[in-house]
Amino acid sequence: MSGHLRLLFGRRARRRWIHLILGGALAMPYVFVGQLVVGPATDSRYVFQDLPLQLLSFTVGLPLAALTAALFPLTRSMEAGAVRSLCGVDAGLLAHGPARTRAAKGRTAAWFTLHLGFGGIISGMSLAVPPFAGFLAALPLIVWLGGAEAVELPEPLDQPWVLALAPVAGVATLLALAACAAVSGALLARWAPALLGPTPEDRLAAAEAHAADLAVRNRLARELHDSVGHALSAVTLQASAARRLLDTDPEFVREALAAIEDTTRRTVGELDAVLGVLRDGDAPGTAPAPTLGADLDCLLRRTRAGGTRVTATVGIDPEALAPVLSREAYRIVQEGLSNALRHAGERVTVTLRIEAADGHLAITVENPLDRAPACRPGGGHGLRGIADRARLLGGTAQAGPAQGRWRLHVRLPLKGPA
C-alpha cells in the first residue's frame, strides 16, 4: 500500500506534478489567443463561462504552441532543463543545445504540445477537483449542522447512503486526480528522451567536440612530458655532476647551479603556460612556447651544463622556420636530448644535426647504443610523442639502432601540413 501511495504522492510524483502545472501556466497565453478566435467564430462573448468553449479555445491554442516551439530553437533547451530538474530523466538522454535541424524542431514542437496539453488538463483538474472533493468530504457535516435544507441535492442523490459515501467519494476523487497526474508525468518522462533527446547531428557534433577535447588534452600531455621530463633529466645530471665536483671544480659547480636555476625558471614558465590552457580552456599561458629559433642555444647550454657533450650541427636558419614548425621541432630536439640524458648517461657524446633536405627539415639525434631507449621494447612515451608530433605535421619519425649507435631521425615538411 505504501508503495502505491509513493507512486502517487512521492517526491518524484510531486516534482512531475509541478512540471505539469508549469505546462498549464505556459498554456494560458495560447488559451487566451484561442478565445479571441473561438469567441467571434461562435458569436459568444462569454467564453469563460462555457466549459465546451474553453476546451475549444484550449484546442485551438495548442497548434499555436507547436508553431512557437518550431520557430524558437531555444525551446528545446528550456524544456530539456525542466525535464532534467523535475521529471527525473537522466541528463545524458536529453539534448543540451537548441534545436537546429528540421527534425529536431519538429520533435521539440511535438513535445511542447504534449507538455502544454497534459499540463493544461492536469492544471484545470488541480484547480477544480480539490474544492469539489473537499465539499464531498464535508457534506455530511454541512447537512448535520444546517439540516437537509442547507444543501439542495438532486432528488436521486437526496438519500442517506449518499451522505454516508460522500467523504469516500471525495477521497476517491483526490486519488483519481493524483493518479491522472502520476500517469501523465510518467508518460511525459518516458517520451522525453525520444522527443528531446539528441539527434544524429547532435551526437556527431558532441563526438567531434569530445575528439577535439581529447586532442587538446593529448597535446597538453605531450607538452608537459617533454618540458618537465627534459627539465628533470637535465637538473638531475647537473646536480649529480655538481655534487661530485664540489670540492675540485667550484667554477663548474657555479655553472651547473646557474643552469639548474635557468632550467627550473623556464620550466615553471612553460608549466604555467600549459596550466593556463587547462584552466581557461583557450587562453595562452604566462610564457610563450619555446621555438627552435629562439631557444635552441639555451637548450644546448643547459644540456651541456650537466656534463653531457653535445655536438650540434645546424645547417638551416632556425629563425626562418614557420612558427608551428619551429615550436614542434624544438620539442622534438628537446625530447631527443632528454632520451639521451636519461638512457645514455653523463659522459657520452650526443650528436645533433638539423638541416634542410628535399623540402624537409631533418632532425637527427645519435648517442651510444649500450644504454639507449631501444633497450626497452616499444620505447617510452617520449618516442611516441615524437612520432605523434611528426605525424601531425605530415612528417615521419624513425628510432632504433644504426651502425652501433642509437639514432633518432625525424623529417618534417618545410611547407604544407605544418
Side-chain angles (χ1 to χ4, degrees):
M1 184 65 180
S2 61
H4 292 87
L5 291 177
R6 191 179 301 112
L7 289 176
L8 297 180
F9 301 102
R11 182 173 181 271
R12 174 175 291 184
R14 295 196 305 270
R15 293 175 70 89
R16 289 177 176 177
W17 202 334
I18 294 174
H19 181 252
L20 290 167
I21 298 299
L22 177 62
L26 292 174
M28 289 306 298
Y30 301 102
V31 174
F32 292 149
V33 175
Q35 289 176 351
L36 296 178
V37 177
V38 171
T42 58
D43 197 21
S44 175
R45 292 182 297 174
Y46 304 101
V47 178
F48 268 116
Q49 300 178 5
D50 193 321
L51 179 60
L53 292 182
Q54 290 185 33
L55 295 176
L56 181 59
S57 300
F58 179 65
T59 304
V60 172
L62 288 180
L64 299 177
L67 181 62
T68 301
L71 292 178
F72 293 94
L74 288 176
T75 302
R76 185 173 71 168
S77 300
M78 178 190 71
E79 287 292 310
V83 169
R84 282 193 296 269
S85 302
L86 299 176
C87 291
V89 178
D90 186 3
L93 300 177
L94 303 172
H96 296 280
R100 300 297 185 188
T101 64
R102 181 177 300 178
K105 292 178 180 179
R107 292 195 296 175
T108 303
W111 165 265
F112 196 60
T113 304
L114 289 172
H115 183 200
L116 268 60
F118 279 95
I121 294 173
I122 297 300
S123 297
M125 293 174 62
S126 299
L127 289 174
V129 170
F132 178 68
F135 171 75
L136 290 180
L139 183 59
L141 180 62
I142 295 174
V143 173
W144 180 71
L145 292 176
E149 62 278 2
V151 179
E152 295 183 2
L153 295 176
E155 185 175 348
L157 300 180
D158 192 9
Q159 303 293 333
W161 62 270
V162 172
L163 295 177
L165 294 178
V168 178
V171 174
T173 304
L174 289 177
L175 291 176
L177 172 60
C180 290
V183 171
S184 299
L187 288 176
L188 288 179
R190 183 175 182 179
W191 293 335
L195 297 177
L196 294 178
T199 63
E201 291 80 5
D202 295 327
R203 292 190 179 92
L204 179 60
E208 291 176 347
H210 182 62
D213 180 66
L214 289 179
V216 171
R217 290 176 180 271
N218 289 335
R219 178 176 63 82
L220 295 178
R222 286 197 303 268
E223 294 290 327
L224 285 175
H225 176 274
D226 293 350
S227 176
V228 178
H230 172 80
L232 291 176
S233 299
V235 167
T236 299
L237 290 179
Q238 291 160 356
S240 176
R243 177 180 56 80
R244 289 197 309 271
L245 301 176
L246 180 61
D247 298 325
T248 60
D249 193 349
E251 183 63 28
F252 177 83
V253 173
R254 280 193 293 270
E255 293 179 0
L257 291 177
I260 290 174
E261 180 184 4
D262 180 61
T263 300
T264 53
R265 182 183 295 112
R266 292 182 60 86
T267 303
V268 169
E270 295 178 15
L271 184 61
D272 286 342
V274 175
L275 294 180
V277 175
L278 287 175
R279 283 191 297 265
D280 304 331
D282 55 359
T286 58
T291 61
L292 200 64
D295 301 279
L296 177 61
D297 292 339
C298 187
L299 174 63
L300 295 175
R301 185 171 62 253
R302 294 197 306 270
T303 304
R304 289 165 176 155
T308 302
R309 294 183 292 273
V310 181
T311 301
T313 302
V314 181
I316 188 175
D317 182 12
E319 299 286 350
L321 298 176
V324 174
L325 178 61
S326 182
R327 183 179 68 241
E328 298 301 314
Y330 175 88
R331 290 302 190 192
I332 290 173
V333 172
Q334 183 184 53
E335 182 57 30
L337 294 177
S338 296
N339 282 339
L341 292 176
R342 284 194 294 265
H343 303 290
E346 305 173 23
R347 301 298 179 180
V348 299
T349 299
V350 179
T351 302
L352 169 65
R353 293 194 304 275
I354 303 174
E355 55 193 357
D358 301 328
H360 286 74
L361 178 67
I363 301 173
T364 305
V365 182
E366 293 183 348
N367 57 269
L369 182 62
D370 55 347
R371 297 176 63 189
C375 296
R376 297 178 306 169
H381 294 289
L383 295 180
R384 286 198 292 270
I386 291 174
D388 289 341
R389 292 181 186 275
R391 184 178 63 255
L392 290 175
L393 293 174
T396 59
Q398 297 176 343
Q403 300 178 353
R405 293 172 64 82
W406 171 261
R407 184 171 184 264
L408 169 67
H409 183 66
V410 180
R411 285 170 55 87
L412 305 175
L414 291 172
K415 296 180 180 180

